[in-house]
Structures are given as C-alpha cells and as structure tokens.
Amino acid sequence: MKKILLLTVLGIICLGSVKGQLLKTTVAQGEIEGIEENGFALYKGIPYAEAPIGDFRWKAPVSKCPWKGVYKADQWGKRPPQPSNPTQGGTDDMSEDCLYLCVQTPAKTKNDKLPVFVMIHGGAFLTGSYIGTQDSFVRNGIVYVSVEYRLGALGFMAHPELAKESPQGITGNYGLLDQIMALQWIHDNIAAFGGDPEKVTIAGESAGGISVSILCASPLTKGLFRAAICESGSSFWPVADQRGDNTAMSTMQAAEQMGVNFQNSLKAKNLKALRKLPFDKLTTATQMELFWPVVDGYVITDDQYKLYEQGKYNDVDVLMGTNSDEGSMFCRPVSVVDYEKRIRKSYGEWADKLLKLYPATNEQETYFAQSDIFRDGSFAWGTYAWANLQTANGKSRVYMYYFDQNSENTMLSSSRGGASHVAEMPFAYGYTFGNGKMTDTEKHIQQIMTKYWINFTKTGDPNGDNLPYWTSYQKDKPTVMIIKEGFHLGPVQNQPQMDFFEAFFKSKRK
C-alpha cells in the first residue's frame, strides 16, 4: 500500500484563553476551589482516598472522608515513595500520603458533559509520577485527569500476614486498588468539573499501559470507563510461580514468599515491624520484577488470555501499539556465551528456536538480540494477542499502531535508528526530552498523532477530517498504522516472532 501523504492538520490547538472558568465546585467530600492556569481551571492535589499510612500501609485504599470548609486545590501532592534520585530532590518531595489526582478542565459549567481523559503513569510499578497538565487535550474540549498510586514495595508487596488481614484473603496489588478507587472517584465526581462520567477514556504507557490492560479485564472496573489507550504495555502472560524474564504473571502465593524474603532482608521480625520502618527503608529495592501485580483472584481474577477467550472482560474500544526498538532501554551487551546461557535458562526447550529468530555472533549483536526479545516478549506479543482476542470475542473496536520514528526528541536514542521505549509520547502528548528538536516532518506527525488521540478520547474512533484514515484492526490484514516519516497501513510487524511467542506462551499454559 502506498504511503498516505502527510496532511496538515488544522484546528488542533485552539488559540485564545477561555473565559468563565469553573474555578469552584462541590464534590462528595465538600467544596473545592482550583486555580486558573493557561486559561483553564486546574485543581491540583485532590485527595481521592485517605492517606495509606500507619496501620493503613499495605491495605486497600479507604474513601476520603468529608472535609470542612473549602478545600484549596492549589498545590501538587507529593510523589509516591520510590528509589530516590538526587537530581529530583532525593526523598524530600515524597510521602506515603500520596493518593491524589489532578483535574484540568475547560468546562464553563457543571453541565458541559465533556469527555474525560485519565492518565495512569508508567515506571515499572517502581517509579514515576504524572504531576503536570495537558493543554493540548484541554484546548480541544477534554477534561484531563492524572492519578498517583502506590509504587514498589508499598504498592505491590504481597505477604501471608497481609492476606490474613484482608476481608477477601488477598495481598499485593495495592497500587492497582488505588487506581480503581481513583476511577470510582472520577466516575462519581467528574460531573462537578463539567465532565461526563459516561465518556471516560483511561490511558497509560509502559507500566501504565499494563495497568490499563489489567483494568480492562478486572470485574472491579465495570462501567468506570468506555475506552482505553494502551501504549507499550499489556498483561497477557500465563500464570506461574516465577515471572522469569517477563514470561509470566506471578501467583499470589509465590509473591507472598517474595514478601517474606524481603522482610528477612530488612531484618524485620514481622509485619508489625515492617509497618514501623520509614518508607525510605522500603524503597531501596530497585529490581524491576520484584514488586509487580499478582493474580489474586480478586483484582486480577485469572490468566488474562483465558479471560478474553471466555469473554470475561470490559468490552471497550481500545487504541494500542508498540515501538520498533522498545527493548533497547532495558538491555545491555553481554558475551555470546552469556547470552545463550540466559536464553536457555529462560526458554528451556524453546531456546533453539528463539536463538534462530534472534541470532548473535558478537557482543553488539547480543544487545540487539536481547532488545528485540524484550520488545516482542514484553510488549509487542501481548498487544498482538490482545488485539486478536478482542476482535475475535468482542464487539468493540481495536486500533493498532507501530511507532518507528527516530527523533532527537526522545528519552533514549535508538542506536539502530528505530523508536525506543517512550518515543511515541512526545508525538501523542507534546512532551519534550533533551533538546526537544523535531524536524518539520516530525512536527506534522505530532499534529496528526495528537489529533488521533484526541478524536479517540472524544468518540472511540481516531479518525477525522484531514487525517490519514486508520482502519480498525483485523487479523492477517494490513490494518496496523505504521508511523515512520508519515503514516501508512501495513501488516503486523515481526510476524514470525509473534508466532513464536504465541506458541511459546501457549505451551506454558499447558
């Protein structure tokens, strides 16, 4: 198929300020007052739950109690505790009192019923924060909401003593329960900000995308959103006792043992002693897979692949995709011998097939091979499986993209000229990394991608006037929007690799 010519998109950014901002309103907890910023009403640091401190550490979030007087939403909440970074102020801007969200709205009245976009940040469930605003969406009549949730050990540590405390007999997934409570708060209160609770789109990238995938299959979120955007994330791995290089979701029992091991490493006698430790003692563990969502039978009820086969999921419109060099951020060169050892340890009898698909004869090639395995096994295959399962078993639309634009405006440049992890975000949301430099072509790509994301948030369909037409996904047909120096529809990329992981994960399920 010929490449669709780049088109100049008009009307993406509506100039001028908005008069009559909705700077004061009333939510379930009481009156609340925001501030004016860039011509819109901005409500910073809205508490959607009680602070998970003291005895509330490692418990499901509790609804925020009513407050007295007018709550001044003019200050950002502190970041959730995470491994400290001296360049970001160490731990001074962190607190366990972190369950806040922000609302940026262009509404002039409570009756405007505008579509709502909810951002769930990434960071491997270990780091991250989305303190900020999104003017491009708000200028186009969308209420923008960003959510903080517990991370690392505080958000995802499982422990047998915690399971005994839980009414459901579960443990772990506290960060996901935070997200769900935030969505419930948004559903119940967003109309006060001129938003429509029936027009909520959730979105996330990386761990945020994995969260979106989990929320799409959780029975606890039914009716809380009508569409989802998932960038570089999904959760369709089989269930096992070990995560094994991103090849499985952990059982709760296995995660509980990891929690006990973590307790022992801190020389804490029991859960009571763990609760007395300052949070910075609990954020020293930086291993990415140590604290992760687990299959608890409540938030995550089962292997998500099986749930979709059975039609047990929230059937909503989804826009999803991955990048061409996703894995490069997570890998490093090793010797060929060490590369093959690791593959054989992780993939067993499937190792020979994998090594043929991802060969390496020197250290540089091991970096590329590992990067591609991480790209396909951790990101691309799950997105591919999700698209196939939803189109086969559901009624809602799926739009898939493959982002392959090499740009200077990126968090990590690809040494092969592809698009690394996070590379699509400056194009969809206008973020700036490094020098922020973009070519004229990339500026047009940014305009078009932003308009796709805005249209999808408004209608569940990215298409609109003066945009390259994006066909909804159909298996084995050229319906993936490939973004590289322009836009064109093509087949699923790296199909032999997708076939390998489909067969590999099927074998693990047996």
Side-chain angles (χ1 to χ4, degrees):
M1 180 178 290
K2 293 183 179 179
K3 284 192 175 184
I4 299 171
L5 294 177
L6 283 173
L7 301 174
T8 301
V9 181
L10 301 176
I12 289 180
I13 299 177
C14 303
L15 300 177
S17 63
V18 178
K19 296 181 179 179
Q21 301 95 336
L22 189 60
L23 294 176
K24 195 171 184 179
T25 190
T26 302
V27 297
Q29 287 76 21
E31 286 188 282
I32 185 169
E33 185 174 346
I35 61 173
E36 184 277 332
E37 187 169 297
N38 297 332
F40 307 107
L42 174 62
Y43 293 80
K44 300 179 178 180
I46 305 172
Y48 64 84
E50 291 295 321
I53 58 178
D55 289 340
F56 287 108
R57 180 187 277 182
W58 294 309
K59 285 187 177 179
V62 176
S63 296
K64 182 67 180 176
C65 294
W67 51 67
K68 295 181 180 179
V70 179
Y71 183 88
K72 301 289 187 179
D74 57 358
Q75 299 291 326
W76 297 114
K78 291 197 173 185
R79 291 190 299 147
Q82 53 195 276
S84 61
N85 184 340
T87 64
Q88 296 178 344
T91 61
D92 292 344
D93 64 341
M94 298 181 197
S95 173
E96 284 187 79
D97 182 5
C98 61
L99 301 186
Y100 294 86
L101 54 79
C102 88
V103 177
Q104 186 184 15
T105 178
K108 295 182 180 180
T109 74
K110 298 177 184 179
N111 299 318
D112 285 5
K113 292 188 176 181
L114 301 176
V116 182
F117 180 96
V118 181
M119 175 60 81
I120 301 170
H121 70 77
F125 299 106
L126 186 66
T127 65
S129 177
Y130 259 123
I131 294 175
T133 57
Q134 185 51 255
D135 288 358
S136 60
F137 280 58
V138 180
R139 284 177 182 143
N140 280 271
I142 294 170
V143 178
Y144 177 79
V145 184
S146 61
V147 175
E148 299 283 21
Y149 57 97
R150 283 174 282 181
L151 302 168
L154 291 164
F156 293 92
M157 187 190 79
H159 194 285
E161 289 185 59
L162 290 170
K164 291 178 182 178
E165 289 184 354
S166 166
Q168 294 81 21
I170 62 168
T171 178
N173 291 341
Y174 304 107
L176 293 174
L177 288 167
D178 294 342
Q179 295 173 15
I180 293 167
M181 175 155 282
L183 288 175
Q184 186 65 60
W185 191 96
I186 292 164
H187 181 271
D188 295 344
N189 294 284
I190 203 63
F193 303 90
D196 188 339
E198 303 304 319
K199 297 179 181 178
V200 174
T201 296
I202 62 172
E205 185 271 345
S206 195
I210 294 171
S211 297
V212 166
S213 175
I214 291 169
L215 295 171
C216 281
S218 178
L220 304 182
T221 62
K222 186 176 181 179
L224 297 184
F225 53 89
R226 70 166 185 180
I229 297 174
C230 180
E231 301 166 37
S232 305
S234 63
S235 187
F236 286 82
W237 299 288
V239 183
D241 287 334
Q242 293 184 342
R243 294 220 351 102
D245 280 345
N246 262 7
T247 60
M249 290 290 289
S250 176
T251 63
M252 190 178 78
Q253 291 73 23
E256 285 177 342
Q257 184 58 53
M258 292 179 70
V260 172
N261 295 343
F262 182 61
Q263 170 195 317
N264 293 336
S265 73
L266 296 172
K267 296 181 171 52
K269 292 183 179 181
N270 50 33
L271 180 61
K272 184 177 181 180
L274 278 175
R275 282 199 168 114
K276 290 182 178 180
L277 291 175
F279 72 73
D280 58 353
K281 299 294 184 183
L282 301 168
T283 57
T284 56
T286 58
Q287 183 180 339
M288 190 167 61
E289 293 189 11
L290 185 58
F291 300 112
W292 199 266
V294 300
V295 179
D296 60 2
Y298 180 66
V299 179
I300 304 174
T301 58
D302 200 352
D303 177 333
Q304 192 158 316
Y305 195 103
K306 294 179 180 179
L307 293 175
Y308 269 66
E309 285 183 318
Q310 298 162 8
K312 296 179 180 178
Y313 64 95
N314 298 302
D315 192 359
V316 299
D317 295 325
V318 183
L319 188 156
M320 62 176 77
T322 55
N323 300 347
S324 61
D325 197 20
E326 297 262 30
S328 59
M329 184 178 288
F330 307 94
C331 302
R332 61 179 179 83
V334 296
S335 69
V336 175
V337 171
D338 287 343
Y339 165 62
E340 292 187 359
K341 282 183 179 179
R342 179 174 180 178
I343 295 304
R344 295 193 184 283
K345 179 181 179 181
S346 297
Y347 292 89
E349 62 182 352
W350 290 81
D352 286 335
K353 291 182 179 179
L354 190 76
L355 290 168
K356 287 182 180 179
L357 284 169
Y358 304 92
T361 60
N362 56 54
E363 279 200 7
Q364 184 65 43
E365 289 179 357
T366 68
Y367 174 58
F368 295 151
Q370 290 176 98
S371 297
D372 289 347
I373 291 169
F374 202 101
R375 174 197 67 196
D376 295 334
S378 299
F379 299 117
W381 170 80
T383 301
Y384 171 72
W386 185 356
N388 290 335
L389 288 164
Q390 179 152 326
T391 53
N393 301 296
K395 297 179 180 178
S396 298
R397 297 163 292 189
V398 174
Y399 297 91
M400 187 190 289
Y401 70 85
Y402 184 80
F403 189 80
D404 192 22
Q405 184 67 29
N406 182 31
S407 174
E408 288 188 43
N409 188 7
T410 186
M411 183 179 290
L412 176 70
S413 295
S414 168
S415 59
R416 291 183 284 177
S420 63
H421 198 54
V422 192
E424 86 292 346
M425 297 194 79
F427 290 83
Y429 305 107
Y431 298 148
T432 299
F433 295 112
N435 61 21
K437 186 177 179 181
M438 300 179 82
T439 66
D440 288 342
T441 297
E442 288 169 352
K443 291 175 183 177
H444 283 293
I445 293 174
Q446 183 184 59
Q447 288 181 325
I448 291 170
M449 280 187 67
T450 301
K451 192 61 177 176
Y452 278 146
W453 265 236
I454 288 169
N455 288 347
F456 183 82
T457 301
K458 289 183 174 181
T459 67
D461 185 338
N463 292 295
D465 293 342
N466 300 321
L467 292 174
Y469 189 76
W470 191 342
T471 303
S472 60
Y473 177 78
Q474 299 175 56
K475 187 178 180 181
D476 298 327
K477 292 185 178 181
T479 53
V480 177
M481 183 60 81
I482 298 171
I483 306 169
K484 182 177 183 179
E485 300 298 327
F487 297 80
H488 72 280
L489 292 170
V492 167
Q493 303 294 283
N494 308 306
Q495 186 67 59
Q497 288 83 350
M498 298 302 99
D499 293 341
F500 167 84
F501 278 105
E502 183 72 22
F504 169 69
F505 287 126
K506 184 177 181 180
S507 74
K508 287 179 71 75
R509 287 187 169 84
K510 291 182 179 180

